Amino acid sequence: MTLIIAEAGVNHNGDKQLALKLIDEAKYAGVDIVKFQTFKASHLVTDKAKKAEYQVNDNQSDDTQLNMLKGLELSEDVFIELSEYCRNQGIEFLSTAFDSQSLSFLVNKIKLKRLKIPSGELTNLPFILEHAKTKLDIIVSTGMANLSEIEQALGVIAFGYISNKDDIPSLDGFYEAYSSEEGQAALKEKVTILHCTTEYPAPFDEINLNAINTLNQTFKLKTGYSDHSKGIVISIAAVAKGACLIEKHFTLDQNMVGPDHQASLEPSELKDMVQAIRDTEKALGDGVKRPFPSEVKNKTAARKSLVANVDIKKGTILTQENIGILRPGSGMSPNLYWDVLGVCARQDYQQGELIDE
């Protein structure tokens, strides 16, 4: 069953009440997990870091990431409240850490059951190692990455999972861990990688869903999709391509001011996406080609039988001229056509009567 993550991210705009409402909507939509983002802005960016292009287009006046992100922070107390609210609502709470302090808080205070490494941190190997040393399951998003960068990150994770406290991190050590049977076993058990296009919204001609298969075949790990496209079609298609996890941004209102609202689903769309994914899962089936019960009852009406084209007397030789193939399919199958040619009729047949030889 596809794991569905509703990415609230920072679409609460720094408002606890909006965050709680996002949890309510995620629960109503039927997702498995609602995810936020935990960070200290001063630990995440310098005061010189410019906004990304999509962040500039949100019409906010702040000209730096730092100023923008400060307005999107939530306190640790609020995150504790949100996680408890999720527990009471019966939906899993998840948050992406963007700095070491936030990671420690999420692991030791919130006690997350899994972690998410965002695309922007894929080359931040020291930070990835901190994640891996928790021994928790890890979801790795791979936007902007090539295969070698992904492999290196997986090597760090494998090292963190299987190394001892005294083992000194090194690129050689990461490669050795990745290449080992123990490291591969740990990755297969605990890691999911997500294909992703890091643009908001992602243009359809750069989504490259076939990369889901490439990642799965290359790394032999559980593979999903983090969807930044508009609408719900691409998430549904990703499930059909074999994605085991879907992550999708959502908001209460796409017209709200903030960096991610315009590339997010509104609540009704999120609910539609969940239903469409569940329908797609049912439709995918088990791959065994066989007639289903709903089809069997239609065989008689849809298939054909051997019939008499004209009145046929007993003893008449059956030929291409006096027998034909018509509905219904309750008589002799047309696949016996050549077997009956040249046979003497054992009984009389009226025109249109099913042949029974």
Side-chain angles (χ1 to χ4, degrees), residues 29 46 74 77 79 105 142 155 163 243 279 302 308 321 333 337 343:
T46 70
L74 293 174
D77 287 342
F79 276 117
F105 164 71
T142 63
S163 63
D279 289 343
E321 287 72 31
S333 172
Y337 178 73
V343 171

Side-chain angles (χ1 to χ4, degrees), residues 306-307 318 331-332 340 345-347 349 353-357:
L306 300 180
V307 301
L318 300 179
M332 295 182 69
V340 302
R346 296 183 300 176
Q347 63 186 65
Y349 295 102
E353 187 176 353
L354 297 178
I355 299 295
D356 181 17
E357 293 293 325

Side-chain angles (χ1 to χ4, degrees), residues 3-4 22 51 74 94 117 135 170 246-247 263 265 290 299 316:
L3 191 70
I4 303 177
L22 284 164
K51 292 181 183 178
L74 293 174
L94 181 60
I117 296 174
K135 313 297 185 183
S170 68
I246 293 294
E247 178 184 76
L265 298 180
R290 64 191 185 280
K299 279 186 176 183
T316 302

Side-chain angles (χ1 to χ4, degrees), residues 114-219:
R114 73 185 89 215
L115 301 176
K116 165 72 189 297
I117 296 174
S119 295
E121 303 295 336
L122 191 72
T123 58
N124 187 353
L125 302 189
F127 193 42
I128 291 177
L129 184 56
E130 290 180 45
H131 282 71
K133 285 184 174 180
T134 68
K135 313 297 185 183
L136 293 173
D137 289 358
I138 297 177
I139 301 166
V140 183
S141 201
T142 63
M144 305 174 288
N146 56 42
L147 293 178
S148 63
E149 289 173 330
I150 298 169
E151 182 177 87
Q152 188 173 65
L154 292 174
V156 175
I157 295 172
F159 179 88
Y161 278 154
I162 70 174
S163 63
N164 299 314
K165 291 183 179 180
D166 296 333
D167 292 337
I168 299 174
S170 68
L171 294 180
D172 287 342
F174 302 150
Y175 180 77
E176 183 178 344
Y178 178 75
S179 302
S180 69
E181 289 186 10
E182 185 183 3
Q184 283 294 312
L187 292 173
K188 285 179 171 59
E189 178 188 356
K190 303 177 77 65
V191 174
T192 301
I193 51 177
L194 303 184
H195 174 52
C196 176
T197 301
T198 305
E199 174 62 312
Y200 305 83
F204 289 134
D205 60 351
E206 295 185 3
I207 285 172
N208 193 20
L209 279 183
N210 284 327
I212 293 173
N213 302 109
T214 300
L215 291 176
N216 183 258
Q217 293 166 5
T218 301
F219 300 110

